[in-house]
Amino acid sequence: MASQPPVHEPTNRRRQLLGRLPLPERTFILEALRTETVGGILLLAAALVALIWANVWPAAYDSVLDYTIGPSGPLHLDLTLATWAKDGLLAVFFFVAGIELKREFVTGELRSPSAALLPVVAAVCGVALPAILFAVVNAGSGGHPGGWAIPTATDIAFALGVLAVISTHLPAALRAFLLTLAVVDDLIAILIIAIFYSSGIKFWALGLAFAGLVLFWFLHRRGVHGWYLYVPLAFVTWALMHESGVHATVAGVAMGLILRCHRVGDEQESPGEHIEHLVRPFSAGFAVPVFALFSAGVTISGSALGEVFTQATPLGIILGLLVGKTVGVFGGTWLTARFTRAELNPQLKWADMFAVSVLAGIGFTVSLLISELAFPDYPALADRSKTAVLVGSLLCALLATVLLKLRNRHYRALYEEEERDLDGDGIPDIYQQDDPAWQERTAELTDHPAENPSGSPADNPASNPPDRPADGPPNNPSETPADNPAKDSPKGTPGGSAKGRPDRGSGTG
């Protein structure tokens, strides 16, 4: 009798939004977020110092901003300190953003079209709706539609600084979503700056800047090492881009995108990852806070705050950040789930996504930059726009704080589950619960609680972790063996890399 072909029962399993991150991605993202969190706190402090300085000693503040330094020829680099911070230090910020973007497309969340769909749609909607609201508010007489791009940016460092100040335990999936959203948001901001805020193009300088980028790419691809080659080349390329009329920060992001972000052979980290680890602390801890110090100093008074809520331009910025960003990011996420038939992680609620969407309305660094680019001939209007950015970001931070605090007890339980490492091997237990070796080790620790490095037997996550049935499946039903490298890795190291470092994959780019 001929054997019957196997019958495959249909499955109703749906793709999950904001599910558990693969271990290597989670490790890399949390490391980046720790640096950005410290930078966010410094950013908040710098903004506060700038406000106090500009309102208590305005003459001293203005004199520092207007102090000129640099050679006048041949590339007209005799710039004020404020311009050096805006065009120079922010080029470092966008350099790191370029590396992040390249890494996301090569080995991160954006490498898969299905995974990239959620943050890309959310970011696009979170840019489009604030711009539309601003344009509507400024459509009448007295409006200035040229500032439409001001409320479109999300400041990840500022948002993480707020999270650090309020001591919330936001789950890793939501933090990763916020970071990836900000990366896509930065890409859109770079395109906006390059296309809409460049003027008086000098093609000879632009051509030489492009030649500098080509040389940068050639040396990098040939494996040439030495900061003493790349730093002077990067500075000359930046100076030529500045002279060309295209905003100089474009040179930074272009050089970041050039770097190789995939690993070759037995590399422990790619050149892009290595340089990002070196430059990110300088960017987050110095470049962005100093820019905030030189840009956030606006006069605060009763009349100035009144103008923010009564004049079209600043009102459009506040509505764009508070309403446009929130509705855009949340609506984009909901529409993605609706039309792709995906379901939200059962450990989270749509209220959590709404709170993160409000947090995404914090637009600071790039919004302040675009405020200056949009109104170069109207410094008073630029200052009112900056005030509106500060007020709108503050309102978003306060509202997000309230919403996140309402769920912080649940977040704490999820955070503790994500971080629990009962056997002390450096890998969170949630990534090993299906590994027989881990089950054997934890069973021994349960039988001998005095040897438990992480606490009492009650801490055993295998017993009954929060929001999961005692004998139910893992929280991420779509997890594949590739998502759990600990199972197949020698000696329990993530991804089998040396010294427990996670393997970031070997994409192309």
Side-chain angles (χ1 to χ4, degrees), residues 453-494:
S454 299
S456 64
D459 292 331
N460 186 354
S463 58
N464 188 17
D467 293 340
R468 183 188 300 168
D471 299 319
N475 288 330
N476 187 356
S478 61
E479 181 181 8
T480 65
D483 293 330
N484 190 352
K487 297 179 184 177
D488 303 316
S489 302
K491 300 181 181 180
T493 58

Side-chain angles (χ1 to χ4, degrees), residues 85-106:
K86 178 184 67 175
D87 293 353
L89 291 179
L90 281 194
V92 179
F93 165 79
F94 278 108
F95 174 70
V96 175
I99 300 176
E100 289 178 339
L101 184 64
K102 179 71 171 290
R103 187 197 63 81
E104 287 290 342
F105 276 114
V106 172

Side-chain angles (χ1 to χ4, degrees), residues 74 92 146 169 171 174 267 279 288 294 305 307 316 336 424 431 453 491:
V92 179
H169 294 76
L174 288 175
E267 285 182 337
V279 179
V288 175
F294 288 161
L305 292 177
E307 292 175 349
T336 301
Y431 290 96
K491 300 181 181 180

Side-chain angles (χ1 to χ4, degrees), residues 81-314:
L81 288 180
T83 304
W84 276 110
K86 178 184 67 175
D87 293 353
L89 291 179
L90 281 194
V92 179
F93 165 79
F94 278 108
F95 174 70
V96 175
I99 300 176
E100 289 178 339
L101 184 64
K102 179 71 171 290
R103 187 197 63 81
E104 287 290 342
F105 276 114
V106 172
T107 63
E109 287 293 293
L110 301 180
R111 71 186 184 279
S112 167
S114 59
L117 186 64
L118 175 62
V120 169
V121 172
V124 170
C125 293
V127 168
L129 194 56
I132 292 172
L133 278 178
F134 183 93
V136 170
V137 173
N138 285 267
S141 59
H144 295 83
W148 62 271
I150 296 174
T152 61
T154 294
D155 194 307
I156 182 65
F158 203 121
L160 292 174
V162 171
L163 291 179
V165 169
I166 66 177
S167 299
T168 187
H169 294 76
L170 202 63
L174 288 175
R175 290 176 182 264
F177 169 78
L178 188 62
L179 177 62
T180 308
L181 174 76
V183 169
V184 180
D185 199 271
D186 286 340
L187 171 63
I188 298 174
I190 292 162
L191 294 175
I192 289 174
I193 291 172
I195 296 172
F196 296 98
Y197 296 105
S198 298
S199 59
I201 305 298
K202 298 178 181 178
F203 289 100
W204 68 268
L206 184 60
L208 290 176
F210 181 76
L213 292 174
V214 171
L215 180 58
F216 189 96
W217 172 85
F218 177 78
L219 294 174
H220 180 62
R221 290 296 173 174
R222 296 289 293 179
V224 178
H225 300 282
W227 63 267
Y228 48 84
L229 293 176
Y230 289 100
V231 171
L233 177 59
F235 179 79
V236 171
T237 302
W238 170 86
L240 288 167
M241 190 71 73
H242 182 273
E243 178 69 12
S244 73
V246 176
H247 199 269
T249 53
V250 175
V253 72
M255 285 182 280
L257 290 171
I258 286 173
L259 296 179
R260 176 169 61 83
C261 291
H262 68 278
R263 297 179 183 178
V264 175
D266 58 352
E267 285 182 337
Q268 295 301 312
E269 57 183 1
S270 67
E273 291 173 319
H274 177 69
I275 295 173
E276 182 182 3
H277 290 158
L278 294 177
V279 179
R280 182 189 288 275
F282 175 79
S283 172
F286 180 79
V288 175
V290 170
F291 167 76
L293 179 65
F294 288 161
S295 184
V298 294
T299 303
I300 301 296
S301 63
S303 60
L305 292 177
E307 292 175 349
V308 165
F309 292 98
T310 56
Q311 295 187 1
T313 298

Side-chain angles (χ1 to χ4, degrees), residues 394-453:
L394 178 61
L395 293 176
C396 289
L398 292 176
L399 180 57
T401 297
V402 173
L403 296 175
L404 292 172
K405 278 296 186 181
L406 292 175
R407 294 272 290 165
N408 198 41
R409 179 176 297 180
H410 178 67
Y411 296 155
R412 184 185 296 273
L414 295 181
Y415 176 82
E416 291 174 352
E417 181 190 7
E418 291 176 352
E419 295 294 322
R420 187 179 289 115
D421 183 13
L422 186 63
D423 56 351
D425 64 350
I427 302 174
D429 293 338
I430 58 174
Y431 290 96
Q432 304 183 84
Q433 290 177 352
D434 295 330
D435 183 1
W438 175 84
Q439 295 172 0
E440 182 178 349
R441 291 196 302 272
T442 54
E444 293 176 357
L445 292 173
T446 303
D447 293 338
H448 303 84
E451 301 174 6
N452 185 349

